[in-house]
């Protein structure tokens, strides 16, 4: 068996792994990047970018059908499914290619291809052929789509978020299981492209929203475009001729069935850690085989091993993966050098869903039982710019401490991808709602709606002080 040594071994060449490798190298460590393939990052290959390409096509079709509002008559809209998907893959492959070009620029001696598995807390074996001894290791192996047991015998009638972008044409009908970010995005996009969509989720939330008023509003809005069932539990699935029959129970416990041509499992993406041999590392593992780690330093308990990005399942979002990779790479180099590791403050939580209307969650989660919070709400129904554009749906909710410190919020509406970043930066800078109001806001913009919400919050704070 071939023998090699390095300071820092990075397992996985996705967003977190690439950032970790580069950070370790920048600190002077001898780093090796190990990738089993196919590479190109989850975001570029099967996540952020292909989904947004599908959403863009769906929005074009939806916009063309909705021009009557503005007095513009479009006689008919025809969706060319193969053309939509061909363009999606062409642009997707361009994004993936840019990532792979960057990987190719890494010195060949710093790259290894194959499946890495731990022999112990200081040694990896790659494809059973090379033993790699390391001073510290970074696990950045990403995640893979979950497939619930009832769906596993559906063969080519089952799509996952890793396979749906490879189809040659749009399916006639589709059941989407899971209404988190990816599930609701793809459900709406497919519906707008002419697919008959039924979406089911065993929970009572949509698009990561938890504030009851916004959840109800989201259910109302999305139900206008596809069939939606919350509190639905799938009990069985089988192929019946050219269709799939799903047997499920609704939120009241009544048995139901749905027949569709295909099923999309959007039930989450668990971390890729089960085949790494973590039980041989000395790490402290939970019942699911996940290592205990510090969410700031990303150092695991029990060995000089760190874990970053989707592999740790803490905040599986690209901007977090990139930052975590950088932190893990620097700290891995520090461990090798015998230096203290850094534990920077975590960023405020920020998650977005690119449906129309968009949804986002920022900062501390909604807590209906919190007694030390002041909550304010607003609707986009009469917001000036939103009405001008014909996108005046949804609302927003913020919560703050009695002294005016912003704590968090959830939004459902137009331009939410921008409004949520304003809120995230305010949280990062620990601004009060009063300080946020003392900022210029141009007219007419959707951002004025945020000021409406802040004004409502300030009024509620003043009312609370007067008692």
């Amino acid at each position: 068996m071939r023998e090699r040594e390095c300071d820092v071994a990075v397992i996985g060449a996705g967003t977190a792994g690439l950032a970790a490798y580069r950070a370790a190298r920048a600190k002077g460590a001898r780093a090796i990047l190990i990738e089993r393939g196919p590479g190109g990052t989850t975001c570029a290959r099967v996540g952020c970018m292909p989904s947004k390409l599908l959403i863009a096509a769906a929005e074009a079709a939806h916009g063309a059908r909705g021009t009557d509002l503005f007095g513009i008559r479009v006689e008919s809209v025809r969706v060319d499914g193969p053309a939509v998907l061909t363009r999606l893959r062409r642009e997707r492959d361009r994004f993936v290619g840019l990532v792979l070009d960057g990987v190719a620029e890494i010195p060949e001696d710093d790259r290894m291809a194959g499946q890495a598995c731990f022999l112990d807390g200081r040694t990896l074996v790659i494809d059973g052929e090379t033993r790699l001894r390391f001073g510290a290791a970074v696990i950045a192996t990403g995640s893979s789509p979950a497939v619930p047991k009832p769906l596993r015998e559906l063969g080519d009638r089952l799509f996952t978020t890793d396979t749906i972008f490879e189809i040659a044409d749009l399916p006639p009908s589709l059941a989407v299981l899971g209404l988190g970010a990816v599930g609701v995005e793809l459900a709406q996009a497919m519906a707008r492209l002419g697919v008959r969509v039924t979406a089911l989720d065993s929970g009572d939330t949509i698009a990561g929203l938890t504030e009851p008023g916004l959840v109800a509003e989201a259910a109302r809005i999305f139900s206008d475009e596809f069939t939606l069932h919350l509190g639905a539990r799938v009990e069985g699935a089988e192929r019946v001729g050219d269709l799939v029959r799903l047997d499920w129970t609704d939120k009241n416990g009544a048995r139901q069935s749905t027949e569709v041509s295909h099923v999309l499992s959007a039930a989450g993406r668990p971390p890729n850690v089960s085949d790494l041999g973590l039980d041989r590392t000395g790490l402290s593992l939970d019942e699911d085989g996940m290592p205990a780690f510090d969410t700031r330093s990303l150092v695991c308990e029990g060995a000089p091993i760190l874990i970053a990005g989707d592999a740790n399942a803490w905040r599986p979002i690209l901007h977090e993966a990139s930052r975590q990779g950088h932190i893990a790479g620097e700290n891995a180099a520090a461990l090798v050098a015998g230096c203290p590791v850094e534990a920077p403050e975590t960023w405020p939580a920020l998650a977005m869903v690119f449906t129309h209307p968009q949804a986002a969650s920022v900062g501390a989660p909604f807590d209906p039982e919190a007694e030390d919070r002041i909550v304010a709400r607003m609707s986009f129904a009469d917001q000036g710019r939103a009405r001008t554009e014909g996108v005046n749906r949804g609302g927003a909710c913020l919560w703050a401490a009695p002294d005016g410190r912003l704590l968090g919020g959830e939004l459902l509406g137009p331009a939410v991808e921008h409004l949520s970043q304003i809120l995230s930066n305010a949280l990062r800078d620990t601004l009060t709602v009063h300080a946020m109001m003392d900022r210029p806001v141009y007219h007419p913009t959707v951002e004025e709606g945020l000021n409406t919400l802040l004004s409502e919050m300030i009024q509620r704070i003043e009312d609370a002080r007067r008692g």
Side-chain angles (χ1 to χ4, degrees):
M1 183 175 290
R2 186 185 179 196
E3 302 282 345
R4 294 194 65 182
E5 293 186 0
C6 67
D7 293 329
V8 177
V10 179
I11 311 168
T15 299
L18 288 167
Y21 165 81
R22 289 165 179 150
R25 282 294 305 270
K27 287 294 185 179
R30 294 175 297 128
I32 290 180
L33 184 65
I34 307 159
E35 173 60 65
R36 69 178 180 181
T41 78
T42 296
C43 173
R45 187 180 293 278
V46 296
C48 317
M49 304 317 293
S51 64
K52 302 312 169 285
L53 286 160
L54 190 72
I55 290 168
E59 181 64 8
H62 183 75
R65 296 189 191 102
T67 58
D68 276 7
L69 174 67
F70 306 100
I72 309 299
R73 312 303 178 202
V74 175
E75 297 303 322
S76 65
V77 176
R78 184 176 72 87
V79 175
D80 184 339
V84 167
L85 293 161
T86 295
R87 191 249 175 183
L88 181 155
R89 284 188 287 272
R90 182 177 66 247
E91 292 297 317
R92 183 273 312 270
D93 291 347
R94 177 180 174 276
F95 291 122
V96 171
L98 293 172
V99 176
L100 296 178
D101 288 346
V103 174
E105 293 174 357
I106 294 173
E108 190 171 344
D109 284 349
D110 288 4
R111 291 182 276 133
M112 296 183 69
Q115 172 66 50
C117 187
F118 288 97
L119 277 182
D120 54 45
R122 294 278 186 169
T123 313
L124 286 164
V125 170
I126 293 85
D127 278 354
E129 299 175 353
T130 303
R131 184 181 287 114
L132 178 64
R133 301 186 187 280
F134 58 81
V138 177
I139 300 169
T141 45
S143 60
S144 296
V147 178
K149 188 175 181 180
L151 308 181
R152 294 175 187 171
E153 303 301 322
L154 295 182
D156 61 2
R157 295 290 164 170
L158 173 66
F159 300 144
T160 70
T161 50
D162 278 4
T163 64
I164 193 166
F165 304 116
E166 305 304 322
I167 59 179
D169 198 357
L170 298 170
S173 57
L174 182 69
V176 177
L177 306 190
L179 281 166
V182 175
V184 72
E185 284 180 355
L186 296 182
Q188 185 186 56
M190 285 292 186
R192 289 184 168 189
L193 290 168
V195 178
R196 179 171 59 84
V197 174
T198 301
L200 304 96
D201 195 291
S202 60
D204 57 3
T205 65
I206 304 173
L209 300 170
T210 58
E211 196 280 322
L214 291 180
V215 172
E217 180 74 352
R220 183 188 67 79
I221 290 171
F222 294 128
S223 291
D224 288 342
E225 300 196 53
F226 55 87
T227 302
L228 186 156
H229 298 284
L230 293 177
R233 189 172 299 276
V234 175
E235 306 291 348
E238 65 175 327
R239 297 180 65 153
V240 181
D242 292 334
L243 298 175
V244 172
R245 189 184 74 205
L246 293 176
D247 296 315
W248 51 282
T249 56
D250 64 22
K251 62 182 179 182
N252 299 314
R255 297 184 64 83
Q256 308 284 349
S257 67
T258 298
E259 290 190 346
V260 291
S261 67
H262 294 81
V263 176
L264 168 64
S265 177
R269 295 182 63 94
N272 294 328
V273 297
S274 62
D275 55 1
L276 293 177
L278 294 181
D279 57 320
R280 295 189 290 269
T281 61
L283 295 178
S284 176
L285 305 178
D286 66 16
E287 60 184 13
D288 296 319
M290 286 294 294
F293 69 98
D294 179 72
T295 57
R296 291 174 59 179
S297 70
L298 304 173
V299 177
C300 298
E301 295 179 8
I305 296 172
L306 304 91
I307 188 166
D310 288 12
N312 68 35
W314 182 56
R315 287 183 179 175
I317 301 171
L318 184 136
H319 69 275
E320 292 282 2
S322 180
R323 186 182 192 230
Q324 287 181 27
H326 184 84
I327 293 169
E330 287 197 339
N331 281 343
L335 288 173
V336 172
C339 299
V341 299
E342 298 292 331
E345 290 287 340
T346 57
W347 281 341
L350 172 62
M352 297 186 198
V353 181
F354 293 87
T355 47
H356 293 273
Q358 297 176 334
S361 303
V362 186
F366 177 73
D367 183 355
E369 298 183 2
E371 298 180 357
D372 58 343
R373 292 184 179 183
I374 296 176
V375 179
R377 297 174 175 83
M378 62 85 67
S379 169
F380 284 105
D382 291 320
Q383 202 280 322
R385 182 62 182 273
R387 287 195 68 89
T388 299
E389 302 289 335
V391 291
N392 50 317
R393 300 186 299 171
C397 184
L398 292 182
W399 33 96
D403 63 3
R405 285 180 298 109
L406 181 66
L407 299 176
E410 292 182 353
L411 306 94
L412 174 74
V416 158
E417 65 181 285
H418 307 299
L419 302 181
S420 60
Q421 293 194 139
I422 293 172
L423 292 172
S424 177
N425 288 335
L427 284 165
R428 176 69 173 166
D429 294 337
T430 63
L431 296 183
T432 65
V433 293
H434 302 80
M436 290 181 66
M437 277 292 290
D438 188 26
R439 297 288 188 275
V441 177
Y442 206 83
H443 173 77
T445 62
V446 176
E447 282 75 6
E448 289 178 305
L450 187 57
N451 271 23
T452 299
L453 184 55
L454 292 170
S455 295
E456 175 67 16
M457 176 66 78
I458 290 170
Q459 184 61 53
R460 289 180 176 273
I461 291 171
E462 291 176 354
D463 289 346
R465 286 174 178 169
R466 287 193 291 266

Short mmCIF file of all heavy atoms in Angstrom, two decimals, residues 50 56 68 90-91 94 96 100 152 169 219-220 235 250 253 271 276 288 290 293 330 369 413 418 430 439:
data_model
loop_
_atom_site.label_atom_id
_atom_site.label_comp_id
_atom_site.label_asym_id
_atom_site.label_seq_id
_atom_site.Cartn_x
_atom_site.Cartn_y
_atom_site.Cartn_z
N PRO A 50 -29.08 24.88 -10.67
CA PRO A 50 -30.10 24.28 -11.54
C PRO A 50 -31.51 24.58 -11.08
O PRO A 50 -32.42 24.76 -11.91
CB PRO A 50 -29.78 22.79 -11.50
CG PRO A 50 -28.91 22.58 -10.31
CD PRO A 50 -28.16 23.86 -10.12
N ALA A 56 -36.43 30.23 -13.05
CA ALA A 56 -36.42 31.35 -14.00
C ALA A 56 -37.30 31.04 -15.20
O ALA A 56 -38.06 31.90 -15.67
CB ALA A 56 -34.99 31.64 -14.45
N ASP A 68 -52.44 40.18 -18.55
CA ASP A 68 -53.74 40.86 -18.63
C ASP A 68 -53.88 41.95 -17.56
O ASP A 68 -54.56 42.95 -17.79
CB ASP A 68 -54.87 39.84 -18.47
CG ASP A 68 -55.22 39.15 -19.78
OD1 ASP A 68 -54.50 39.37 -20.77
OD2 ASP A 68 -56.19 38.36 -19.80
N ARG A 90 -27.36 23.15 -19.87
CA ARG A 90 -26.24 23.87 -20.50
C ARG A 90 -25.67 24.92 -19.55
O ARG A 90 -24.45 25.00 -19.36
CB ARG A 90 -26.72 24.55 -21.79
CG ARG A 90 -25.60 25.28 -22.53
CD ARG A 90 -26.10 25.87 -23.84
NE ARG A 90 -27.08 26.92 -23.63
CZ ARG A 90 -28.36 26.85 -23.96
NH1 ARG A 90 -28.85 25.75 -24.53
NH2 ARG A 90 -29.18 27.87 -23.74
N GLU A 91 -26.53 25.69 -18.91
CA GLU A 91 -26.06 26.70 -17.98
C GLU A 91 -25.51 26.07 -16.70
O GLU A 91 -24.51 26.53 -16.15
CB GLU A 91 -27.19 27.68 -17.65
CG GLU A 91 -27.61 28.55 -18.82
CD GLU A 91 -26.48 29.45 -19.29
OE1 GLU A 91 -25.79 30.04 -18.44
OE2 GLU A 91 -26.26 29.56 -20.51
N ARG A 94 -22.10 24.88 -17.25
CA ARG A 94 -21.15 26.00 -17.29
C ARG A 94 -20.71 26.34 -15.86
O ARG A 94 -19.51 26.54 -15.61
CB ARG A 94 -21.79 27.21 -17.96
CG ARG A 94 -20.89 28.45 -17.97
CD ARG A 94 -21.59 29.62 -18.65
NE ARG A 94 -20.80 30.84 -18.54
CZ ARG A 94 -20.81 31.65 -17.49
NH1 ARG A 94 -21.57 31.36 -16.45
NH2 ARG A 94 -20.05 32.73 -17.45
N VAL A 96 -20.76 24.35 -13.23
CA VAL A 96 -19.95 23.24 -12.74
C VAL A 96 -18.54 23.31 -13.34
O VAL A 96 -17.54 23.09 -12.66
CB VAL A 96 -20.62 21.90 -13.08
CG1 VAL A 96 -19.67 20.73 -12.79
CG2 VAL A 96 -21.91 21.73 -12.29
N LEU A 100 -14.83 23.17 -11.59
CA LEU A 100 -13.83 22.16 -11.92
C LEU A 100 -12.55 22.78 -12.45
O LEU A 100 -11.45 22.26 -12.21
CB LEU A 100 -14.41 21.17 -12.92
CG LEU A 100 -15.60 20.34 -12.41
CD1 LEU A 100 -16.12 19.42 -13.51
CD2 LEU A 100 -15.22 19.53 -11.18
N ARG A 152 -38.69 3.51 -2.16
CA ARG A 152 -37.43 2.98 -2.67
C ARG A 152 -37.57 1.95 -3.79
O ARG A 152 -36.58 1.58 -4.41
CB ARG A 152 -36.62 2.39 -1.50
CG ARG A 152 -36.17 3.46 -0.52
CD ARG A 152 -35.49 2.90 0.70
NE ARG A 152 -35.24 3.95 1.68
CZ ARG A 152 -34.81 3.74 2.90
NH1 ARG A 152 -34.56 2.49 3.32
NH2 ARG A 152 -34.61 4.75 3.73
N ASP A 169 -37.65 15.44 -20.42
CA ASP A 169 -38.85 16.26 -20.62
C ASP A 169 -39.57 16.39 -19.29
O ASP A 169 -39.33 15.63 -18.35
CB ASP A 169 -39.76 15.61 -21.66
CG ASP A 169 -40.79 16.57 -22.24
OD1 ASP A 169 -40.84 17.74 -21.80
OD2 ASP A 169 -41.54 16.15 -23.14
N ALA A 219 -49.72 28.88 2.65
CA ALA A 219 -50.57 27.77 2.22
C ALA A 219 -51.65 28.26 1.27
O ALA A 219 -51.95 27.61 0.25
CB ALA A 219 -51.18 27.09 3.43
N ARG A 220 -52.23 29.39 1.57
CA ARG A 220 -53.27 29.94 0.69
C ARG A 220 -52.71 30.31 -0.67
O ARG A 220 -53.29 29.98 -1.71
CB ARG A 220 -53.90 31.17 1.34
CG ARG A 220 -55.05 31.77 0.55
CD ARG A 220 -55.50 33.09 1.13
NE ARG A 220 -54.48 34.12 1.01
CZ ARG A 220 -54.24 34.79 -0.12
NH1 ARG A 220 -54.92 34.51 -1.23
NH2 ARG A 220 -53.31 35.72 -0.15
N GLU A 235 -47.83 6.43 3.55
CA GLU A 235 -47.77 5.10 4.12
C GLU A 235 -47.26 4.06 3.13
O GLU A 235 -46.69 3.04 3.53
CB GLU A 235 -49.17 4.67 4.61
CG GLU A 235 -49.83 5.66 5.56
CD GLU A 235 -49.14 5.71 6.91
OE1 GLU A 235 -48.30 4.82 7.18
OE2 GLU A 235 -49.43 6.64 7.70
N ASP A 250 -54.22 11.89 5.85
CA ASP A 250 -54.22 13.34 5.96
C ASP A 250 -54.10 13.77 7.42
O ASP A 250 -53.96 12.95 8.33
CB ASP A 250 -55.45 13.95 5.28
CG ASP A 250 -56.77 13.54 5.93
OD1 ASP A 250 -56.76 13.15 7.12
OD2 ASP A 250 -57.82 13.62 5.26
N GLY A 253 -56.18 12.06 9.92
CA GLY A 253 -56.05 10.62 10.06
C GLY A 253 -56.82 9.83 9.02
O GLY A 253 -56.82 8.59 9.05
N PRO A 271 -26.25 14.21 5.99
CA PRO A 271 -24.82 14.32 5.72
C PRO A 271 -24.22 13.00 5.23
O PRO A 271 -24.66 11.91 5.61
CB PRO A 271 -24.24 14.69 7.09
CG PRO A 271 -25.37 15.23 7.87
CD PRO A 271 -26.58 14.52 7.39
N LEU A 276 -17.47 6.79 6.36
CA LEU A 276 -16.15 7.34 6.62
C LEU A 276 -15.37 6.59 7.70
O LEU A 276 -14.19 6.88 7.92
CB LEU A 276 -16.27 8.82 7.05
CG LEU A 276 -16.76 9.80 6.00
CD1 LEU A 276 -16.88 11.20 6.61
CD2 LEU A 276 -15.82 9.84 4.80
N ASP A 288 -26.86 8.63 15.70
CA ASP A 288 -26.92 8.62 14.24
C ASP A 288 -25.53 8.59 13.61
O ASP A 288 -25.40 8.69 12.38
CB ASP A 288 -27.67 9.86 13.74
CG ASP A 288 -29.13 9.86 14.18
OD1 ASP A 288 -29.75 8.78 14.14
OD2 ASP A 288 -29.63 10.92 14.57
N MET A 290 -23.19 10.85 14.06
CA MET A 290 -22.67 12.19 13.82
C MET A 290 -21.74 12.60 14.95
O MET A 290 -22.04 12.39 16.12
CB MET A 290 -23.82 13.20 13.73
CG MET A 290 -24.60 13.12 12.43
SD MET A 290 -23.60 13.61 11.00
CE MET A 290 -23.32 15.35 11.37
N PHE A 293 -19.39 18.45 17.79
CA PHE A 293 -18.43 19.47 17.37
C PHE A 293 -18.87 20.82 17.89
O PHE A 293 -20.05 21.05 18.19
CB PHE A 293 -18.29 19.50 15.85
CG PHE A 293 -19.50 20.01 15.13
CD1 PHE A 293 -19.57 21.33 14.70
CD2 PHE A 293 -20.60 19.19 14.90
CE1 PHE A 293 -20.69 21.82 14.04
CE2 PHE A 293 -21.73 19.66 14.25
CZ PHE A 293 -21.78 20.98 13.82
N GLU A 330 -8.32 26.97 8.53
CA GLU A 330 -7.39 27.72 9.38
C GLU A 330 -7.17 27.02 10.72
O GLU A 330 -6.04 26.94 11.22
CB GLU A 330 -7.92 29.14 9.61
CG GLU A 330 -7.81 30.05 8.39
CD GLU A 330 -7.96 31.51 8.75
OE1 GLU A 330 -8.52 31.81 9.83
OE2 GLU A 330 -7.49 32.36 7.96
N GLU A 369 -44.10 31.38 22.71
CA GLU A 369 -44.18 31.42 24.16
C GLU A 369 -43.19 32.39 24.78
O GLU A 369 -43.15 32.54 26.02
CB GLU A 369 -43.96 30.02 24.72
CG GLU A 369 -45.03 29.02 24.27
CD GLU A 369 -44.84 27.66 24.88
OE1 GLU A 369 -43.89 27.49 25.68
OE2 GLU A 369 -45.63 26.76 24.56
N GLY A 413 -42.95 37.46 0.56
CA GLY A 413 -43.37 38.55 -0.28
C GLY A 413 -42.39 38.87 -1.39
O GLY A 413 -41.44 38.12 -1.63
N HIS A 418 -33.78 40.52 -0.88
CA HIS A 418 -33.05 41.73 -0.53
C HIS A 418 -33.41 42.22 0.88
O HIS A 418 -32.53 42.60 1.65
CB HIS A 418 -33.36 42.83 -1.56
CG HIS A 418 -33.13 42.40 -2.97
ND1 HIS A 418 -31.90 42.00 -3.43
CD2 HIS A 418 -33.98 42.28 -4.02
CE1 HIS A 418 -31.99 41.67 -4.71
NE2 HIS A 418 -33.24 41.82 -5.08
N THR A 430 -25.94 44.35 15.36
CA THR A 430 -26.70 44.52 16.60
C THR A 430 -27.46 45.85 16.65
O THR A 430 -27.44 46.57 17.64
CB THR A 430 -25.80 44.38 17.85
OG1 THR A 430 -24.82 45.42 17.85
CG2 THR A 430 -25.11 43.02 17.88
N ARG A 439 -32.21 55.33 8.43
CA ARG A 439 -31.46 55.01 7.23
C ARG A 439 -32.27 55.49 6.02
O ARG A 439 -33.51 55.41 6.03
CB ARG A 439 -31.24 53.50 7.09
CG ARG A 439 -30.40 52.86 8.20
CD ARG A 439 -28.93 53.25 8.10
NE ARG A 439 -28.10 52.50 9.03
CZ ARG A 439 -27.89 52.81 10.31
NH1 ARG A 439 -28.50 53.88 10.83
NH2 ARG A 439 -27.11 52.09 11.07
#
